[in-house]
Every structure is written in C-alpha cells, then in structure tokens.
Amino acid sequence: AVAAAGPARAVVAVPKTEPVRDESYRRLVASLPCVVCGVFGFSQCAHRDEGKGMASKQDDRESYPACCTRPGEPGCHHRIGTAREFPKAVRRELELLWCASTRAKLRKLAETDASARVIVQRVIGL
C-alpha cells in the first residue's frame, strides 16, 4: 500500500536581512549607564538573546548597555546572559524594553550632542 501524500504546500522564500553592525553605535550604547543596576562607566553593548544562533551576528539596533564583570562584582551582562539569572521568557521581555529604552535615550542624547546625532541618524534615525 502506498501512503497518500498530503496536500502540496507552497514554500515562500523569505529574504535574509543583514544585521546592522556599527562599532560607533555600539560604543555609544556602551557609554550609557547599565540598564539593570544603573552603574556608570562599566557598560558594554549587550545584544538581545532572541534570534541568536551559531555564527549569526545580532543587529546592533537591538542592543542595550549592561555592565561588565569587575573585581568582586559579577556584571549584569554576565548575570543576564551567561549566568541566566533571569528566566528566558522574562529576559526576552525585558530585553525588548531595554532595547527600546536605549534607542529613546540615544535619540534624546542626539538632540544636544552633534557627534551622537550623526551616529543615531545613520543607525536608527531620529
């Protein structure tokens, strides 16, 4: 007996979009205080976890400042990602908020800082 084949399904190709990668934007994000604890001067540009995969680069527009690990203090970047102190669903929800908040802060900064304005305009728009 031959198994009946199911209905034919159309396959639609979805074009892969290249992530925005901009070092000056990442440095601008890192210049902000940590979105988790508020410490200033130790931030790194942290990218959203959702959508990460082997050898895939995250879009810099989906990033936020998180402090690095320093002597005696596990940084928030480590706590959020590697240590997984936040459940995945909570972390993904928070990261969406942190990314949106970061873009808003950078747009606000661009109102008074000409060099930031150039970067913000190029990467996320005003």
Side-chain angles (χ1 to χ4, degrees), residues 74-92:
C76 294
H77 195 177
H78 172 79
R79 291 177 47 225
I80 294 163
T82 307
R84 296 190 172 136
E85 289 186 19
F86 295 88
K88 186 187 288 187
V90 171
R91 183 178 73 236
R92 288 186 171 166

Side-chain angles (χ1 to χ4, degrees), residues 55-103:
S56 70
K57 296 288 186 186
Q58 288 298 94
D59 193 307
D60 289 340
R61 296 171 295 186
E62 295 298 318
S63 62
Y64 55 91
C67 65
C68 64
T69 297
R70 47 214 184 269
E73 182 66 37
C76 294
H77 195 177
H78 172 79
R79 291 177 47 225
I80 294 163
T82 307
R84 296 190 172 136
E85 289 186 19
F86 295 88
K88 186 187 288 187
V90 171
R91 183 178 73 236
R92 288 186 171 166
E93 187 174 321
L94 287 170
E95 285 178 332
L96 284 172
L97 296 172
W98 292 336
C99 290
S101 170
T102 297
R103 289 187 300 268

Side-chain angles (χ1 to χ4, degrees), residues 17-89:
T17 58
E18 287 296 316
V20 170
R21 301 292 290 166
D22 189 290
E23 183 177 354
S24 59
Y25 182 79
R26 291 191 303 272
R27 289 180 185 273
L28 196 57
V29 169
S31 74
L32 299 172
C34 177
V35 294
V36 180
C37 71
V39 69
F40 185 78
F42 294 97
S43 292
Q44 299 172 319
C45 179
H47 290 84
R48 279 184 56 216
D49 189 46
E50 192 167 2
K52 279 185 177 177
M54 285 186 49
S56 70
K57 296 288 186 186
Q58 288 298 94
D59 193 307
D60 289 340
R61 296 171 295 186
E62 295 298 318
S63 62
Y64 55 91
C67 65
C68 64
T69 297
R70 47 214 184 269
E73 182 66 37
C76 294
H77 195 177
H78 172 79
R79 291 177 47 225
I80 294 163
T82 307
R84 296 190 172 136
E85 289 186 19
F86 295 88
K88 186 187 288 187

